[in-house]
Each structure stands twice: as structure tokens, then as C-alpha cells.
Amino acid sequence: MPRKLIIPILAICLSLLLASVAPARAMTLSYANFPPAGTFPSVQMERWKKEVEKRTDGEVTINTFPGGTLLGAKNMLRGVTQGQADIGNLCMAYQPGVFPLTSVMELPLRFRSSRAASLVLWELFQKYEPQAFDEVKVLTVFTSPPSSLMTRKPVKSPQDLKGMELRASGSASDILDRLGATPVSMPMSDTPEALQKGMIEGLLSSLEVLLDLNFAQYCPNVTIGNFQVYPFAVVMNKDRWEALPEDVQKVMLDLGRKHAQWTGEYVDAHVDKALEYSRTKHDVAVHEFSSKERRRIQKKIRPLIGEWKDKARKQGLPADEILEDVRAWQKEFTEQGE
């Protein structure tokens, strides 16, 4: 073969080889989420996507689907397990009884920040590896900010709650029931209309919704309660996870705890922003229970902790150890954040 043809032929062979190798490394993953874009679970999704794409030098592309456009809240775990989405974000509180271990986070433990609660949830997963997640790979976890009251009329004591119909979900319903209110179950998307029509008098939820869903327009009163948090987990289809190159797996594993902390810190700051917005734009009054009233509230809702322990034991869980660990981590991460 003439020497002048060797170099062009080698160049062509090399380009064909690179073309065949490059697509094998490039991959596209789908990430399903149920809350609307702009809410904190979707903000964390977009941040996680960008971090993974950046740390893999663009070899991984993640297509995100907020607002239930790919999978809804209640079928998120099943949908990811069955491969309808590669990755999904689920809220354990939306499926009572399915996640007995992580439901400890829904107890009225008086977390003061999502940062602390999110790091506690991360440690809980690392130590106890909840069986409910055996069919998926857990990539990261986080929680909502602590829940408080948003109401039409002022609530300054438990007596003010008596007979009030308030939207709530999961363990928040049990808390309201113990405090004499009437919990009403409905989708969050239906709550503004229900407030406008007088069907309910408020809600028990985390306070970022004052801004994100504009509840400040419908609820002129906020009462800080720090009752409980809602735990979330970002999970991946097991087969899809195992098919990832090791270096891509490492990127995602390295992000796990860091992203839990980032999400908690982000939404804590966002709650401050939502409260400032509510005060300045809608003249929302922010109330706090007195020390005496907090003690009375805790006395009424404390039995929920004992009931959780009884259920956990029946399901073979070391309830006392779990609760002791959660309280120890709560103290540690709360002090770190102060």
C-alpha cells in the first residue's frame, strides 16, 4: 500500500473507532418528580441534575419531569421499580404503612430546621438500610421544613384549634386530631379553592408554600409550631443503577450526603424568604405559642410517639434504638447549625 494512503486510512479508522466508543459512554436518564416546578423538591432535582452532568463532564444527561408529568406521588416507587422512570423523588408520608422505619421522622419531634432533619434522615438510611427500599437504589434523602399552621383566624393556643377544619396529610392529620382540630384530606392543589370557598379554615404544612403556592394570599395568620417534617427519598431503578459505569456511580454516591445538606439549607432559607414575603406583601401576622402552651401541646401529642414505637416493634424494628439514634443525631445536627 502506498505510504501516502496509510495516514488517511488510519485517520478514518480512528474516527470510526471513536464514534463507536463515544455513544457507549453517553447516557440519558429520566428523573420523575410530583410537585410543581419551582417548589423545593423540584429545585433540588434541578440542582442534582446539574451537579451530576457537571461532574461527569456531560457524559450523563438527565431529563427532568416535574409536576407529575411522568409519575405521580403515590406511584413513584412502583414506577421507578418497573422502569417507567430511571430516577424518582418520593414522599414517604403519602403512603402510610409502606415505610415503617422512616415514618419515625413524621413524629412530633420538634425539629427546628430541614437541614438537621435531612441529615438525620441520611444517617437513618445509612445505619438501618430500610427494607422498603430494597428494590431501588437510594441516591439521596431530605425532608421538608418543620410544619406549622396557616389559618384564616389567629391560633395562639390549642383551644383556638378546637373544631377548626384544616387541610393535612400523613401524621399531620393525627397531630391535628389530638389537638382538637378536624383534619381534612385533599390534594394541595385543591387547597386554595377550598380556602376561598370556606370549605376549610387553613392547613398544617411547611411554610415555604406561603410563597411557592401563594398561601399567604388566603391565610392571614401563621402560627409557628415545628410539629413534624415530611421525609423524601430520591431513588433509582436497580437495573439502571447497576448498568452505570463505576465512575458515574461514584459521582452519585459522593453527592448523597452533600445534597441532603444542601437541600435542607436551601429550603430553610426559602422559608425565611416566604415569611418575609408574607409579612410585607400580604400583611400576614406570625404568632408563636408561649412556653406554657407548647408544654400543653406536647402533652397532647406525645402519645403518638409511643404508638409509633408499638407499631414498629410489631414489625420487627428496634424502635427504642431507632428513636434514641434519631434524637442523638437531632441534637448533634441542630447544634452544628446554630
Side-chain angles (χ1 to χ4, degrees):
M1 179 181 295
R3 182 174 293 180
K4 64 180 181 180
L5 294 177
I6 293 177
I7 294 177
I9 290 173
L10 287 175
I12 293 170
C13 290
L14 179 60
S15 65
L16 289 173
L17 178 62
L18 291 174
S20 65
V21 171
R25 283 288 303 180
M27 62 201 79
T28 300
L29 303 173
S30 58
Y31 185 157
N33 213 337
F34 63 92
T39 58
F40 83 93
S42 291
V43 170
Q44 72 77 30
M45 173 176 69
E46 297 300 334
R47 195 262 183 180
W48 187 86
K49 158 197 163 75
K50 289 178 182 177
E51 285 295 308
V52 171
E53 291 178 345
K54 180 177 73 175
R55 295 178 186 213
T56 59
D57 295 321
E59 290 179 348
V60 176
T61 299
I62 300 172
N63 294 330
T64 55
F65 300 87
T69 52
L70 183 55
L71 288 171
K74 292 186 177 180
N75 65 339
M76 188 65 69
L77 182 63
R78 183 176 67 252
V80 171
T81 302
Q82 295 176 350
Q84 294 171 259
D86 298 316
I87 304 164
N89 174 49
L90 62 95
C91 179
M92 285 81 95
Y94 284 13
Q95 294 175 275
V98 177
F99 306 101
L101 195 151
T102 55
S103 64
V104 67
M105 298 298 297
E106 300 173 51
L107 294 175
L109 300 176
R110 292 194 56 78
F111 278 100
R112 298 205 298 268
S113 72
S114 174
R115 177 194 183 276
S118 295
L119 289 172
V120 169
L121 183 59
W122 174 260
E123 296 298 331
L124 193 67
F125 265 86
Q126 303 316 299
K127 178 171 181 177
Y128 291 98
E129 299 180 343
Q131 188 176 358
F133 294 87
D134 281 352
E135 295 185 6
V136 292
K137 175 64 181 178
V138 177
L139 300 176
T140 191
V141 296
F142 57 91
T143 77
S144 71
S147 295
S148 292
L149 293 159
M150 290 159 271
T151 54
R152 302 291 296 236
K153 65 180 183 181
V155 174
K156 299 180 181 180
S157 73
Q159 289 88 339
D160 295 334
L161 285 168
K162 189 173 182 179
M164 286 184 70
E165 294 187 284
L166 302 172
R167 186 267 178 194
S169 64
S171 61
S173 297
D174 296 326
I175 291 170
L176 288 177
D177 186 61
R178 296 299 173 101
L179 295 178
T182 302
V184 179
S185 178
M186 67 173 62
M188 189 66 89
S189 57
D190 295 343
T191 305
E193 183 179 0
L195 282 165
Q196 287 178 295
K197 292 183 176 180
M199 297 166 60
I200 57 173
E201 300 169 80
L203 68 157
L204 176 57
S205 185
S206 49
L207 295 176
E208 81 285 348
V209 299
L210 288 165
L211 174 57
D212 292 349
L213 301 179
N214 203 26
F215 279 112
Q217 182 178 344
Y218 314 111
C219 299
N221 292 278
V222 166
T223 306
I224 306 298
N226 293 335
F227 289 107
Q228 37 61 252
V229 298
Y230 292 105
F232 294 77
V234 178
V235 299
M236 186 170 187
N237 178 274
K238 204 68 168 285
D239 291 338
R240 199 73 167 107
W241 166 258
E242 291 173 352
L244 292 177
E246 287 186 10
D247 59 327
V248 174
Q249 289 183 344
K250 186 178 186 305
V251 164
M252 294 183 180
L253 291 173
D254 288 347
L255 272 174
R257 188 184 189 278
K258 295 173 184 176
H259 192 72
Q261 180 170 334
W262 181 90
T263 304
E265 291 173 349
Y266 164 79
V267 75
D268 287 338
H270 197 58
V271 165
D272 292 340
K273 181 179 178 182
L275 284 169
E276 181 62 20
Y277 162 82
S278 301
R279 291 187 184 101
T280 57
K281 298 294 183 181
H282 293 282
D283 200 27
V284 170
V286 179
H287 314 284
E288 293 197 38
F289 294 116
S290 67
S291 298
K292 181 180 178 181
E293 296 294 1
R294 284 199 299 271
R295 288 193 295 270
R296 293 176 64 187
I297 289 169
Q298 284 301 305
K299 184 178 180 180
K300 288 185 176 185
I301 63 179
R302 191 176 295 118
L304 292 172
I305 297 174
E307 291 172 13
W308 177 86
K309 289 169 71 172
D310 290 340
K311 290 179 184 177
R313 289 191 196 103
K314 289 177 182 178
Q315 293 176 302
L317 296 174
D320 291 304
E321 181 184 353
I322 291 168
L323 199 55
E324 286 174 10
D325 281 338
V326 166
R327 290 193 182 280
W329 290 323
Q330 179 182 13
K331 183 175 186 296
E332 175 187 351
F333 296 129
T334 298
E335 290 174 353
Q336 279 183 9
E338 292 179 344

